[in-house]
Amino acid sequence: MPDHLEWVEPVLALARRAARLPRGARTPFAPVGRPRSMAVMAHQDDDLYFLNPLLVSQLHSSEEHLTVCLTAGEGDGRNAPGGTREHAAAPVDFEAFAAARFNGLRCAYADMVLGDRDAKWRREVTTLAGGAEADVSVLVDAPHVRLVALNLWCAPPPDAAPGSGPLTRLWTGEATSTPTMVPLGSPVTGTHSYSRDSLVESLVELMRRFEPTLLWTMDPDPDLQVHDRANPRYADTGDYSDHIFHTITGLFAHEAAARWFAEGGGRRTSVEAFRGYYVRRWPSNLSPEARARKQRYKDVYGWADRRPSGDPAGLGDRKVGGDLIAGGNASGTTLRYPGSRSWAGPGADGRLSAFAVRGGQVVHWREDRPGEFAGSRRVPGRKLLPHVDAVPTADGGWRLFAVRQGLTADPAQHVRDLWTILLPASGDYRDVRWESLGNPNAQSGPAKRRNIGMPQAVSLPGGRLLVLTRNAGKGLSGRLHDGATWTPWRDLGGGDTQEGLTAVALDDGSVEVLAAGRNGIARWLVSTAGELTAKFSVVRTEAPAGPPTVVRLPDGSRMMFCRCRDSASVVSFRTRGDGQVWDPSSLVDLGGHGGPGPIAARFVPDRREVLVAVRDDASATSVLRVGPDGRARGTWLREATPVAGSHAVSVDSSGRPVVLAVSAGGGLLTLPVTPSTSSVSSMKEVP
């Protein structure tokens, strides 16, 4: 790969061309930080299965994009549909099948970026740690797009050096090295063996050269999954809901990112991890249009059209060509850490603060005059996962909650603990320190300790505070702070829910907690009087396609929003009568533009309406105003700047409603919304 300076001309060339934006969206002004996106995948099709439709939108928004594929994906070496006579008769040629898969990936990227699957690529070689050569593909007519193939064998051949093993054993140290292959037609001149450290260092080197502001990885901590007749194993590994190579690739990528961040890199970098085969276990969160786009590019990769090829390896992976994604492994696009909706809000003085994790560290933006934010400040503390929940304190400070990730080769030594920090109103962070709240699964085995959910905190009368998280049993756990000390973790029951909690304090002192369940909306009514207890029930609705969001209305009733399965729509429904019972018959289909992650919503008293914001199929911002009856006021408005994580909706110090997000370039985006808004201006961005 050329040195970083040689990438400047492709960047400038991209800046001169018009970006392709969602229908009806306005062109944003140049962002404060130009987005550079990087994805680290295990196999040649993982990004097409698990990142799209966000990937195709990001390719048109990023000024540079780099996808890194760790393995050669050689499989059984036969490029023919499994279970067919053709497959049985096909010769085994691992190097040719690996080449066919990369050919298919290049065709898919060319189609996503240029609409021409046969567009030309330039092949190069770059040298990484220990002298390893990697195969680099540059899209000639869009040179901001590059693919890097490390070509590690998935299953090293019998003649591999002693101590060799697959990527999974390389991570744990059970293997001392994993060899590479040279796929058919590759410009790489020879093979190499990666050690665990040299593979991590090679990824760090790519991050140093490329300097991504948005890093996409695979899921390092997939959910545990029961496999039985009702839940076939498919391609899952062990007791998990994903393929082990996806998991190990996620761990390598996160370890490399942590090293890069520790040496001072990635100060504007947002990290997002994507679920793998887990998505087939839950309702699809994609619209029919988004699934069709995902199907199209997957079919290009799979050489479904069987168009003539002069390449002896062929133009794609015929094992998947033409397969319908339907309810399978590509049916959804789901973030492992979907993001908080409570990362921004007014402090005790009425001025807005916003918090995000960039480079594994929390950054803080603060409103210095109505609607205007000062540049970000860094909060001490590292190795945090991309989620922060913020609660204002009565004295003008903030209490933050996040999860710290500690990675080791030994699976029993992984750390995923909930941490909290108290930020003083003075803004002097020199002596502040994070405090560990431990893990609700601390007494369980290592696998369960890794499956901690992201925190949701709720302020209670008398200065008390309740923090909640999904536990390894996919139920709810909580700790209560009485103003001085924390109670022990308490298992509050429930189970079979997706990641992403929403909670609201009720007039009687209890807290209502909601999550997406298998057969509807999981609901806990948590009593905070004395020892924490909870009543668990399920609101019988169609299973939602993602985390719900609850909003309290002035009369004490509540409104819930969630994504409708197999649809682009957001739906609302309300409580009935005294507010104790949810009424599924009040459901209103609000339409929308699809997308992953949680829904942000807030009641705006001056306007007697709820303002709703979501990350849509284009990884952009969609906004809707909703009346107290749950019905839309006007249509969805879209703003095209690509975002990372989730939105927040709040009110600035002048009382004006505002939508907030973090851009793919790492800046804070703000969008004021007025009652007469029929279109939206570009979001302001603050570094």
Side-chain angles (χ1 to χ4, degrees):
M1 182 181 297
D3 291 337
H4 186 73
L5 289 177
E6 296 183 41
W7 296 28
V8 171
E9 179 52 36
V11 173
L12 295 177
L14 177 64
R16 290 191 290 266
R17 72 182 178 87
R20 300 180 188 179
L21 302 173
R23 184 182 302 171
R26 295 170 62 94
T27 303
F29 59 77
V32 172
R34 293 175 174 174
R36 295 185 297 277
S37 50
M38 177 177 177
V40 181
M41 301 287 109
H43 308 107
Q44 295 93 327
D45 54 358
D46 290 336
D47 42 359
L48 306 178
Y49 272 75
F50 308 126
L51 305 188
N52 259 336
L54 303 187
L55 173 62
V56 66
S57 297
Q58 195 62 52
L59 290 172
H60 290 291
S61 302
S62 289
E63 290 193 340
E64 296 180 74
H65 177 85
L66 180 70
T67 290
V68 181
C69 184
L70 297 193
T71 76
E74 75 278 1
D76 64 3
R78 298 178 177 182
N79 194 11
T84 64
R85 291 183 179 179
E86 183 185 4
H87 179 269
V92 174
D93 189 333
F94 295 117
E95 288 80 3
F97 183 50
R101 296 188 72 178
F102 279 114
N103 286 342
L105 186 64
R106 282 186 285 270
C107 289
Y109 268 79
D111 196 21
M112 287 190 288
V113 177
L114 300 173
D116 177 7
R117 63 192 65 184
D118 295 317
K120 293 182 179 180
W121 291 80
R122 183 173 71 252
R123 305 287 291 279
E124 301 174 350
V125 174
T126 190
T127 302
L128 300 175
E133 289 186 343
D135 188 333
V136 182
S137 298
V138 183
L139 187 54
V140 172
D141 289 336
H144 70 290
V145 175
R146 295 175 178 241
L147 311 178
V148 174
L150 272 56
N151 290 319
L152 283 83
W153 282 88
C154 291
D159 61 353
S164 296
L167 200 61
T168 52
R169 296 172 66 84
L170 188 68
W171 172 263
T172 62
E174 297 169 278
T176 57
S177 64
T178 299
T180 66
M181 72 155 61
V182 180
L184 188 66
S186 172
V188 170
T189 61
T191 61
H192 179 81
S193 285
Y194 281 95
S195 67
R196 183 182 191 276
D197 192 67
S198 70
L199 179 54
V200 173
E201 184 57 31
S202 292
L203 292 174
V204 174
E205 179 61 26
L206 289 170
M207 292 174 191
R208 290 188 193 114
R209 296 180 195 176
F210 188 72
E211 297 182 343
T213 59
L214 178 62
L215 176 62
W216 281 345
T217 78
M218 308 201 77
D219 182 358
D221 293 320
D223 278 9
L224 295 171
Q225 175 66 48
V226 172
H227 297 108
D228 53 23
R229 181 174 297 180
N231 299 280
R233 183 176 299 278
Y234 300 114
D236 291 351
T237 302
D239 295 328
Y240 292 97
S241 57
D242 205 357
H243 191 290
I244 188 63
F245 273 68
H246 299 165
T247 306
I248 296 299
T249 297
L251 292 171
F252 269 110
H254 278 243
E255 175 66 18
R259 290 193 191 182
W260 182 47
F261 297 156
E263 66 184 30
R267 294 178 70 85
R268 291 194 292 116
T269 303
S270 298
V271 179
E272 294 189 302
F274 286 78
R275 299 281 199 179
Y277 292 157
Y278 163 98
V279 300
R280 74 178 306 139
R281 309 290 177 179
W282 295 92
S284 172
N285 61 355
L286 298 180
S287 66
E289 295 78 13
R291 285 200 302 277
R293 289 196 297 274
K294 181 178 273 197
Q295 180 79 50
R296 168 181 169 168
Y297 301 125
K298 194 274 296 180
D299 284 349
V300 172
Y301 161 79
W303 196 16
D305 63 0
R306 296 304 309 278
R307 64 194 186 282
S309 167
D311 191 311
L315 293 180
D317 178 0
R318 294 187 55 220
K319 293 183 188 297
V320 301
D323 289 351
L324 296 178
I325 62 175
N329 294 331
S331 59
T333 301
T334 304
L335 296 170
R336 173 62 179 87
Y337 315 110
S340 166
R341 283 140 293 188
S342 307
W343 57 270
D349 62 359
R351 290 196 291 177
L352 278 175
S353 277
F355 302 88
V357 177
R358 297 192 313 192
Q361 188 172 2
V362 171
V363 295
H364 179 194
W365 293 272
R366 190 164 187 261
E367 188 182 18
D368 57 2
R369 57 182 182 272
E372 301 290 336
F373 283 81
S376 62
R377 299 180 56 202
R378 303 187 75 79
V379 176
R382 293 187 176 276
K383 296 187 177 181
L384 300 178
L385 289 171
H387 176 110
V388 59
D389 208 64
V391 178
T393 59
D395 63 0
W398 287 86
R399 182 176 283 278
L400 309 182
F401 296 88
V403 172
R404 186 176 184 272
Q405 179 190 59
L407 302 176
T408 67
D410 182 354
Q413 299 302 314
H414 280 282
V415 175
R416 310 287 189 275
D417 281 348
L418 180 63
W419 288 70
T420 185
I421 193 170
L422 192 59
L423 301 182
S426 66
D428 184 353
Y429 298 163
R430 288 175 296 179
D431 297 324
V432 298
R433 297 291 183 271
W434 288 85
E435 171 192 3
S436 175
L437 297 182
N439 186 309
N441 313 301
Q443 305 307 314
S444 303
K448 290 188 176 181
R449 292 200 297 271
R450 286 172 61 183
N451 274 275
I452 183 175
M454 298 297 103
Q456 170 73 54
V458 183
S459 292
L460 300 171
R464 297 181 306 149
L465 191 64
L466 175 65
V467 64
L468 302 155
T469 185
R470 179 178 182 251
N471 56 39
K474 303 178 188 176
L476 184 69
S477 291
R479 291 189 76 173
L480 186 65
H481 190 259
D482 63 7
T485 60
W486 290 94
T487 64
W489 281 106
R490 182 80 172 177
D491 189 331
L492 299 174
D496 215 10
T497 63
Q498 292 201 62
E499 177 64 47
L501 302 173
T502 184
V504 62
L506 304 181
D507 289 337
D508 62 3
S510 63
V511 175
E512 182 179 50
V513 186
L514 303 167
R518 181 74 59 187
N519 301 305
I521 306 292
R523 180 179 186 254
W524 294 263
L525 201 59
V526 180
S527 172
T528 62
E531 189 174 79
L532 282 180
T533 59
K535 295 179 180 179
F536 176 74
S537 60
V538 176
V539 181
R540 297 294 175 180
T541 67
E542 182 180 73
T549 294
V550 63
V551 175
R552 181 169 172 163
L553 303 179
D555 63 0
S557 65
R558 297 176 304 289
M559 189 180 300
M560 189 192 310
F561 299 90
C562 58
R563 296 181 187 271
C564 185
R565 65 183 301 165
D566 302 319
S567 166
S569 291
V570 172
V571 297
S572 72
F573 52 97
R574 295 164 290 136
T575 54
R576 70 162 73 102
D578 59 2
Q580 296 301 308
V581 178
W582 285 96
D583 181 8
S585 69
S586 66
L587 183 146
V588 177
D589 187 335
L590 300 172
H593 302 288
I599 299 164
R602 181 186 177 98
F603 183 76
V604 183
D606 291 349
R607 301 177 187 175
R608 294 196 54 77
E609 64 185 19
V610 178
L611 186 60
V612 178
V614 300
R615 181 179 181 180
D616 60 30
D617 279 346
S619 207
T621 298
S622 287
V623 179
L624 182 68
R625 296 161 47 231
V626 178
D629 60 357
R631 299 186 180 279
R633 291 180 174 176
T635 60
W636 286 93
L637 307 176
R638 305 184 78 183
E639 204 282 344
T641 306
V643 303
S646 55
H647 289 80
V649 178
S650 195
V651 176
D652 67 20
S653 57
S654 68
R656 181 176 54 175
V658 61
V659 174
L660 303 100
V662 175
S663 76
L668 176 68
L669 297 167
T670 60
L671 177 67
V673 180
T674 64
S676 60
T677 297
S678 58
S679 63
V680 292
S681 58
S682 298
M683 299 177 93
K684 294 181 180 179
E685 187 169 14
V686 181

